[in-house]
Amino acid sequence: MSEPLIIGAMVRTLGAYPSGWRHPGAHADPLGDAAVLRRIARLGEDAGLDYLFFGDWLATGPDLEFRDPYLLARIDPLSAVLYLAGVTERIGLIATVNSTYADPYATARATASLDVLTGGRAGVNLVTGAEPRAAANHGRDAHADNAARYDRAEEFVRALRLLWESWDEDAWRADAASGVLIDSDGLRGAAFDGAHVRVDGPLNVARPPQSHLPLVHAGTSARSRALAAAEADLALIAAADPASAAATRAELRALAAASGREPGDVKVVVPVLPVVAETDAAARAIVDHLLLLVPIDDGSGHAGREGFPANRSLASFLDIAGVAADHVVRRASVDDPVSAAVAGTFDEPAARTLELVRRQTGRDLGGPHPVTWRLLIAAHAVPAAFVVGGPTAIADHFEAWRDAGAADGFNVLSAFQPAQFEAFTRLAAPELKRRGLLGSSGETLRDRLGLAAPRLARAAAPVG
Ligand SMILES: Cc1cc2nc3c(=O)[nH]c(=O)nc-3n(C[C@H](O)[C@H](O)[C@H](O)COP(=O)(O)O)c2cc1C
């Protein structure tokens, strides 16, 4: 039997693949988010997943309709986890907080509250943000540069930890007989006075049951790695293949050791987008459908819409394929099959897209189920690292990444909701359990994630 992996759901109610909301029966109306969130929470909890994870984005605009529609209008992550706190009993709840814009006292307060309300099931994903438009939404002239964002993030984390430790474990006495409610010696200020963050404390919420909530960090830069290695329990990384994930994981573990932690104190989690069905063929048919639903420049009017990406046309695909400007194929219909003769001349990026489409959809050049230009345009313009298949294929993927030293866990995305998450929990989760890859136990999120006791930051003097 294997050690269980860390497996959580990365919840995007509108679906994680941009055309997912168009799939028959998919959730597509943000006003119905409450019901879908409840359904996802129930499925995740019953399947034994470790947590529900909510990302964040601090701006919106019409350009997102095509690129990342789930970012257009969605529930604020802290509101989402607070809502789900009341309808769940065991699963962890992780909300993203952007340290570039968030207030540390308000963040410590909201997250400690969530931890109290859930009996220790709360976690925080700290990001510094990559959306320039967030600045103007928060009264700033510009999005801070990488160095300034991480200078603030480091101070933000230290302030959070001090605030979470405001109350000594035994400071709340509630001794009715003597009339002593608190031991004021056990109530401590944070007295944090940094270059970017200043906060006095103590926190006006009881000590969180986990003392320090599990901290996730998601980023890509060298400063991000340093922060994750020094402070994070989980590092959420983006990785194209197991080899690059394994290299990042090795780097993070070495950096953690260099900062005085155990290498295994930072656990690496990668996003994964399984497309799951009873059989591999049925799963490939779903990918096929998703690609057909990607709006492209096919004469139906999408191309005239605000924010429509320039790379969704036959001409732009043929450019990257290196097909000559005067080639007859330039006048093809996007629903025409791609001939083997033309495909044989494709430059590398287009050839790779063709290979991916064949593998993921089961189509081929020629035959009864041919690859068409539309599929290539869609797959190139909206790339996704789908893991396609029935329960065995999905579990094999998880196991292969684990065996390659690429990941300690996975954040599971669903192309559309709730059916694809339902398919993951109904079909893939039992197979993962059977192999011992899913099924951590523990009352608190820290316990479930197998985290060591938190390194306390308590340095401040008692208030009184
Ligand atoms: C897997 C992953 C998930 C992320 N999720 C979010 C998110 O939900 N919200 C956000 O503002 N940024 C998110 N980020 C972006 C990071 O916060 C970061 O700002 C961005 O990757 C730029 O890298 P850097 O911060 O290291 O410069 C995510 C990054 C990764 C790798």
Side-chain angles (χ1 to χ4, degrees), residues 4 31 48 185 193 265 298 324-325 335 452-453:
L31 291 183
D185 285 349
D193 188 9
D265 284 353
D298 58 1
D335 293 308

Side-chain angles (χ1 to χ4, degrees), residues 10 12 53-58 70-71 74 96-98 125-131 143 145-146 149-150 217-225 235-239 269-271 411:
M10 201 158 178
R12 294 173 179 172
F53 178 104
F54 291 83
D56 200 13
W57 209 251
L58 298 179
Y70 65 90
L71 295 177
R74 67 172 177 183
T96 295
V97 169
N98 187 320
N125 173 39
L126 202 95
V127 299
T128 73
E131 167 59 71
H143 192 51
D145 65 16
N146 178 275
R149 293 203 312 275
Y150 279 92
H217 172 63
T220 48
S221 60
R223 287 291 299 273
S224 160
R225 299 251 197 283
L236 178 60
I237 67 163
V269 173
V270 294
N411 264 11

Side-chain angles (χ1 to χ4, degrees), residues 324-402:
D326 58 355
H327 197 289
V328 63
V329 158
R330 297 238 165 211
R331 292 186 293 280
S333 150
V334 290
D335 293 308
D336 284 348
V338 178
S339 75
V342 175
T345 70
F346 280 179
D347 286 350
E348 166 62 19
R352 240 184 302 124
T353 302
L354 172 61
E355 219 16 70
L356 202 71
V357 166
R358 289 165 86 165
R359 208 175 55 240
Q360 292 184 335
T361 67
R363 290 183 185 243
D364 214 337
L365 294 172
H369 201 44
V371 174
T372 63
W373 293 107
R374 178 185 294 277
L375 286 148
L376 295 183
I377 297 163
H380 173 70
V382 192
F386 294 121
V387 180
V388 190
T392 304
I394 305 297
D396 285 352
H397 176 91
F398 280 46
E399 208 161 39
W401 277 59
R402 193 274 314 271

Side-chain angles (χ1 to χ4, degrees), residues 125-432:
N125 173 39
L126 202 95
V127 299
T128 73
E131 167 59 71
R133 287 174 291 192
N137 287 342
H138 295 82
R140 312 270 180 88
D141 291 334
H143 192 51
D145 65 16
N146 178 275
R149 293 203 312 275
Y150 279 92
D151 287 348
R152 179 174 161 87
E154 287 169 6
E155 291 186 4
F156 193 97
V157 173
R158 286 203 291 277
L160 265 191
R161 294 196 185 287
L162 288 165
L163 289 168
W164 283 335
E165 288 176 28
S166 292
W167 295 86
D168 281 0
E169 302 220 35
D170 52 3
W172 195 266
R173 298 276 292 277
D175 185 341
S178 67
V180 174
L181 185 57
I182 65 164
D183 171 5
S184 56
D185 285 349
L187 178 57
R188 297 160 191 275
F192 189 86
D193 188 9
H196 302 267
V197 168
R198 285 176 55 196
V199 62
D200 242 12
L203 190 66
N204 59 348
V205 178
R207 187 182 184 96
Q210 299 180 102
S211 291
H212 288 199
L213 280 56
L215 208 68
V216 187
H217 172 63
T220 48
S221 60
R223 287 291 299 273
S224 160
R225 299 251 197 283
L227 178 66
E231 298 287 357
D233 300 298
L234 306 189
L236 178 60
I237 67 163
D241 53 67
S244 66
T248 302
R249 181 166 173 268
E251 182 191 345
L252 283 164
R253 291 166 68 90
L255 287 169
S259 75
R261 305 172 77 196
E262 293 296 323
D265 284 353
V266 58
K267 298 177 193 300
V268 170
V269 173
V270 294
V272 62
L273 177 50
V275 173
V276 196
E278 267 85 357
T279 63
D280 291 353
R284 286 196 286 262
I286 294 172
V287 174
D288 197 70
H289 200 170
L290 287 170
L291 292 176
L292 291 173
L293 291 172
V294 171
I296 66 166
D297 181 1
D298 58 1
S300 62
H302 294 302
R305 312 262 311 280
E306 185 172 358
F308 188 79
N311 64 350
R312 295 195 185 182
S313 67
L314 179 60
S316 108
F317 183 81
L318 293 175
D319 286 346
I320 66 118
V323 173
D326 58 355
H327 197 289
V328 63
V329 158
R330 297 238 165 211
R331 292 186 293 280
S333 150
V334 290
D335 293 308
D336 284 348
V338 178
S339 75
V342 175
T345 70
F346 280 179
D347 286 350
E348 166 62 19
R352 240 184 302 124
T353 302
L354 172 61
E355 219 16 70
L356 202 71
V357 166
R358 289 165 86 165
R359 208 175 55 240
Q360 292 184 335
T361 67
R363 290 183 185 243
D364 214 337
L365 294 172
H369 201 44
V371 174
T372 63
W373 293 107
R374 178 185 294 277
L375 286 148
L376 295 183
I377 297 163
H380 173 70
V382 192
F386 294 121
V387 180
V388 190
T392 304
I394 305 297
D396 285 352
H397 176 91
F398 280 46
E399 208 161 39
W401 277 59
R402 193 274 314 271
D403 291 347
D408 300 291
F410 295 89
N411 264 11
V412 176
L413 293 152
S414 296
F416 50 92
Q417 291 287 9
Q420 266 300 292
F421 188 58
E422 193 271 338
F424 177 81
T425 55
R426 181 169 55 86
L427 301 167
E431 178 60 17
L432 291 165

